[in-house]
């Protein structure tokens, strides 16, 4: 019996040690994203404005150029692959921990709106914030056993997919999410100065499916900010112009619904998706701006924010 106890304690100690090593490696690989989530969920530093959305906000909006234009102090809360549910979650988390900002840019993406049945793009990042009650409740509602993760932290790795497990190994090999030459600044993260040859690509046509629930979540997010005297600014990010094709029927429906929301709540709606100054050499792939494109987009967005809220320099 004594031998079994010793074996059990030894195995448990080894697993706890392995968990600590995995935690360290995983956090180092994804350091810029953990900095962002820490600022959103844990920190209380005031920002005049924030930027919410999926990877097109996360990779596309650099607060440096907007702050330089407006005189404001802003932060990018965008997360790669974020659905409208995750955007709403991050908005609530930010508002709960911070004094309300003057404005909140909400980047509109068709994929965000058409992902009604999905919550977190990468829930693994949030496992490390299970000590926050709102995050914990959300993860438990999604079926994750966070109580066990807190008691025996290494158990969270049983819920990791292969992609996230591989990032641990990559960091042990000296690699990180932020590649050489990439920029991480106040939540903005972009790895690529490369241009992308878009001419041969076919335009992606999203499936026509219901999006009423997602629209309700977007409206809830708008109201959340309005109730705090924060100006929500809806934004369509820049898009490639490689093939002149009409929008898909579901995209037209979403456009009409969002325009109606903007009118109903009297909030600004900015369109950069039809701005021809974002030429192919501004993009790193079909959807995302490269570093050159982010400068142009951030400067243009900053000019619009300054027009809407001109008191930043005072």
């Amino acid at each position: 019996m004594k031998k079994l106890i010793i074996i059990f304690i030894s195995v448990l100690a080894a697993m706890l040690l392995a968990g600590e090593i995995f935690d360290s490696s995983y956090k180092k690989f994804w350091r810029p994203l953990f900095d962002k989530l820490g600022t959103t969920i844990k920190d209380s530093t005031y920002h005049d404005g924030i930027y919410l959305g999926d990877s097109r906000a996360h990779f596309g909006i650099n607060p440096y150029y907007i702050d330089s234009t407006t005189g404001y102090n802003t932060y990018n809360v965008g997360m790669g692959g974020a659905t409208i549910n995750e955007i709403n979650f991050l908005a609530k988390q930010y508002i709960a921990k911070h004094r309300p900002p003057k404005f909140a840019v909400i980047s509109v993406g068709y994929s965000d709106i058409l992902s009604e049945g999905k919550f977190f793009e990468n829930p693994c990042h949030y496992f490390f914030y299970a000590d926050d009650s709102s995050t914990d409740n959300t993860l438990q509602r999604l079926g994750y056993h966070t109580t066990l993760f807190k008691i025996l932290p290494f158990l969270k790795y049983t819920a990791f997919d292969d992609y996230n497990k591989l990032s641990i190994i990559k960091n042990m090999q000296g690699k990180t999410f932020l590649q050489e030459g990439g920029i991480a600044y106040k939540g903005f993260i972009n790895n690529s100065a490369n241009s992308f040859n878009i001419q041969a690509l076919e335009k992606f046509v999203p499936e026509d499916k219901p999006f009423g629930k997602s629209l309700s979540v977007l409206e809830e997010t708008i109201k959340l900010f309005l109730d705090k005297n924060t100006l929500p600014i809806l934004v369509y990010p820049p898009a490639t112009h490689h093939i002149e094709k009409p929008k898909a029927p579901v995209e037209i429906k979403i456009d009409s619904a969002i325009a109606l929301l903007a009118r109903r709540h009297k909030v600004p709606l900015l369109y950069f998706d039809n701005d021809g100054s974002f030429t192919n050499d501004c993009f790193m792939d079909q959807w995302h701006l490269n570093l050159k494109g982010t400068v142009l987009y951030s400067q243009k967005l900053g000019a619009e924010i300054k027009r809407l809220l001109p008191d930043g320099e005072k």
Side-chain angles (χ1 to χ4, degrees):
M1 185 66 180
K2 184 177 179 181
K3 187 176 181 180
L4 287 175
I5 294 173
I6 292 172
I7 291 172
F8 173 78
I9 293 173
S10 299
V11 170
L12 181 60
M15 294 179 77
L16 289 170
L17 178 60
E20 290 288 335
I21 294 170
F22 291 167
D23 284 358
S24 176
S25 185
Y26 188 75
K27 287 181 178 180
K28 284 179 182 176
F29 183 85
W30 294 106
R31 175 53 54 200
L33 290 182
F34 277 101
D35 289 344
K36 185 198 296 267
L37 287 175
T39 296
T40 305
I41 297 173
K42 294 287 190 180
D43 191 42
S44 60
T45 302
Y46 174 74
H47 302 101
D48 296 301
I50 59 172
Y51 312 102
L52 293 153
D54 60 14
S55 56
R56 296 170 76 188
H58 162 78
F59 282 117
I61 302 174
N62 188 340
Y64 174 81
Y65 295 100
I66 296 176
D67 295 357
S68 299
T69 299
T70 63
Y72 285 127
N73 169 34
T74 66
Y75 196 87
N76 189 326
V77 185
M79 288 292 287
T83 65
I84 191 62
N85 292 311
E86 186 169 3
I87 291 168
N88 176 264
F89 171 82
L90 290 169
K92 288 178 177 177
Q93 286 286 67
Y94 186 91
I95 287 295
K97 305 298 192 305
H98 301 76
R99 185 156 58 93
K102 292 181 173 66
F103 67 89
V105 170
I106 304 172
S107 181
V108 176
Y110 298 119
S111 61
D112 313 342
I113 301 296
L114 292 171
S115 300
E116 286 195 349
K118 193 174 183 181
F119 204 98
F120 292 131
E121 169 66 16
N122 192 342
C124 299
H125 297 322
Y126 293 93
F127 294 164
F128 294 84
Y129 297 92
D131 57 341
D132 171 76
S133 59
S134 295
T135 305
D136 186 40
N137 291 337
T138 301
L139 288 170
Q140 289 201 32
R141 195 167 65 248
L142 295 172
Y144 295 104
H145 304 292
T146 53
T147 302
L148 288 176
F149 298 169
K150 292 176 198 174
I151 298 170
L152 298 172
F154 59 83
L155 287 178
K156 63 179 170 288
Y157 292 102
T158 62
F160 272 45
D161 56 19
D162 290 343
Y163 175 73
N164 282 281
K165 290 174 183 174
L166 186 60
S167 66
I168 297 171
I169 298 171
K170 285 182 176 179
N171 183 258
M172 291 177 177
Q173 295 171 341
K175 300 175 183 177
T176 64
F177 172 69
L178 187 66
Q179 301 168 14
E180 185 176 354
I183 295 174
Y185 179 78
K186 294 174 74 174
F188 164 77
I189 304 164
N190 194 301
N191 277 323
S192 181
N194 296 332
S195 297
F196 186 62
N197 183 3
I198 308 170
Q199 298 298 335
L201 282 179
E202 289 293 324
K203 178 178 171 62
F204 170 73
V205 180
E207 179 186 350
D208 194 345
K209 55 185 179 181
F211 56 87
K213 290 181 181 177
S214 290
L215 205 66
S216 296
V217 175
L218 176 58
E219 184 167 28
E220 178 188 323
T221 309
I222 291 170
K223 289 179 178 178
L224 170 72
F225 287 119
L226 289 174
D227 289 345
K228 299 294 183 179
N229 293 318
T230 295
L231 176 66
I233 303 173
L234 302 178
V235 171
Y236 279 83
T240 54
H241 300 275
H242 53 295
I243 297 176
E244 294 301 327
K245 285 187 177 180
K247 289 189 174 184
V250 69
E251 293 175 325
I252 294 172
K253 292 177 187 175
I254 291 173
D255 289 348
S256 298
I258 288 176
L260 181 62
L261 268 184
R263 289 195 300 271
R264 180 185 301 158
H265 295 286
K266 297 181 175 61
V267 300
L269 175 56
L270 308 178
Y271 295 93
F272 293 99
D273 58 331
N274 55 8
D275 188 333
S277 61
F278 292 97
T279 51
N280 289 359
D281 62 348
C282 290
F283 291 84
M284 63 188 253
D285 60 26
Q286 190 172 4
W287 305 107
H288 303 100
L289 295 165
N290 58 21
L291 290 172
K292 173 185 175 181
T294 65
V295 174
L296 179 61
Y297 180 32
S298 302
Q299 288 174 337
K300 282 177 170 281
L301 180 56
E304 288 295 324
I305 292 170
K306 186 174 182 179
R307 177 181 63 82
L308 293 166
L309 294 159
D311 62 343
E313 295 177 345
K314 296 178 181 179

